[in-house]
Amino acid sequence: MAEYTPFEMIAYTGSRVLEDNTIVFVGTGLPIIASIHAQLTHAPGLGIIFEAGPLTPVLEMGMPLSVGDTRACRKACYLKGLSSVFELTQRGHADFAFIGGAQIDMYGNVNSTFEGGTYTKAQTRFPGSGGAGAMAANCEKSIIIMALEPRRFVNQLDFVTSIGFGDGAENYREKAGVMGSGPYRVITNEALFGFDEGTRRMMLLEVAPGRTADDIKKKVSFDLLVSSDLKEMAQPTEKDLRLLREECDPDGFFLARKLK
């Protein structure tokens, strides 16, 4: 099997999760790469929404470096600005939200605002929601990318930036006035997580080759459910890696980064 980096594994797994003939609302970086890879392989009918306004552009000028990159506007079938694409999600026209964050809890709530201290006197300040808060509230399913560390997979968030299943109550999202079915998958380079339908708690679905469920539990601060049908994560093939490196991110802006 070919060698690959942690970020290549995340991008490849993100691609696997996406489905053909659906619409994904992407954030900057790995979500864009995963979406392009999906279009080049199993999901040619996948449409991409970028936060700055484009809907289903043709990315023939190279990978956009941000959601506001003009390359994301090339031959878009819809280009009316930020407010208009968020209106599309409120009308139910986005199947997936693809977002990141700094912390996540067992119910898929995400913090990308601050860590430690208070909102006005934070120990660490993060970039904030961008559009992720609205994406998680309005898109049908949320896909979350996060590094697998106990300080990130926490019992209690310091701040809820992007809503998941709240406190886990069956009707929490309905009472909160948000749309969609909520968190769907959480992707790391070591594991793929989903959510139990009954309890809405995070569940381990797949582990990276050479890892066990106990290895993953040690990197999660809460009580993690484990699927009775636990699988090994699929690895990218030589063809997948060529597409990721030569077609999706040829300059290595995101895939060539190192884990800290």
Side-chain angles (χ1 to χ4, degrees):
M1 181 61 67
E3 293 187 2
Y4 49 84
T5 69
F7 290 108
E8 287 170 342
M9 182 61 152
I10 291 173
Y12 172 68
T13 304
S15 171
R16 285 200 295 122
V17 170
L18 294 170
E19 302 170 11
D20 197 15
N21 298 321
T22 60
I23 299 291
V24 59
F25 200 146
V26 298
T28 296
L30 293 178
I32 297 176
I33 295 171
S35 300
I36 296 173
H37 181 274
Q39 288 180 328
L40 293 173
T41 54
H42 66 280
L46 178 71
I48 304 175
I49 297 178
F50 290 89
E51 187 177 337
L55 169 63
T56 62
V58 177
L59 301 178
E60 61 188 14
M61 297 180 67
M63 182 191 68
L65 296 184
S66 74
V67 294
D69 192 321
T70 53
R71 285 174 288 192
C73 303
R74 178 73 171 175
K75 297 182 180 178
C77 70
Y78 182 97
L79 183 58
K80 294 187 66 176
L82 183 147
S83 296
S84 293
V85 292
F86 276 104
E87 181 191 14
L88 283 178
T89 68
Q90 292 168 352
R91 293 184 181 189
H93 295 305
D95 300 290
F96 297 102
F98 211 146
I99 64 176
Q103 292 180 329
I104 190 168
D105 66 16
M106 71 171 69
Y107 295 116
N109 304 295
V110 174
N111 171 24
S112 55
T113 302
F114 76 89
E115 182 179 16
T118 65
Y119 183 84
T120 55
K121 295 183 178 180
Q123 293 178 8
T124 303
R125 178 72 64 179
F126 301 122
S129 169
M135 291 160 67
N138 297 322
C139 298
E140 177 59 27
K141 299 176 181 178
S142 298
I143 301 170
I144 302 134
I145 296 176
M146 192 155 310
L148 184 59
E149 300 173 322
R151 69 188 183 95
R152 296 181 181 275
F153 284 69
V154 298
N155 279 300
Q156 181 70 45
L157 299 182
D158 290 323
F159 188 86
V160 178
T161 312
S162 303
I163 191 171
F165 292 118
D167 60 7
E170 183 177 2
N171 59 351
Y172 184 91
R173 289 181 64 87
E174 181 181 357
K175 284 187 175 181
V178 298
M179 301 172 59
S181 57
Y184 175 58
R185 294 289 185 266
V186 181
I187 299 171
T188 76
N189 63 299
E190 295 185 59
L192 175 66
F193 305 89
F195 293 86
D196 178 64
E197 290 186 8
T199 64
R200 288 156 291 284
R201 285 173 51 189
M202 194 181 298
M203 175 181 287
L204 179 61
L205 302 179
E206 299 179 4
V207 294
R211 301 289 195 276
T212 66
D214 286 339
D215 294 331
I216 305 304
K217 286 182 176 180
K218 292 175 183 177
K219 297 191 175 185
V220 174
S221 296
F222 49 80
D223 186 17
L224 178 66
L225 300 180
V226 179
S227 171
S228 59
D229 186 28
L230 185 65
K231 293 181 171 62
E232 183 176 272
M233 294 174 73
Q235 301 178 72
T237 65
E238 292 278 5
K239 177 183 176 182
D240 292 312
L241 292 173
R242 182 187 63 78
L243 289 174
L244 288 169
R245 295 167 183 172
E246 298 178 13
E247 301 292 335
C248 300
D249 186 13
D251 295 309
F253 286 111
F254 301 102
L255 294 179
R257 291 182 300 160
K258 305 294 183 182
L259 284 178
K260 296 182 180 180

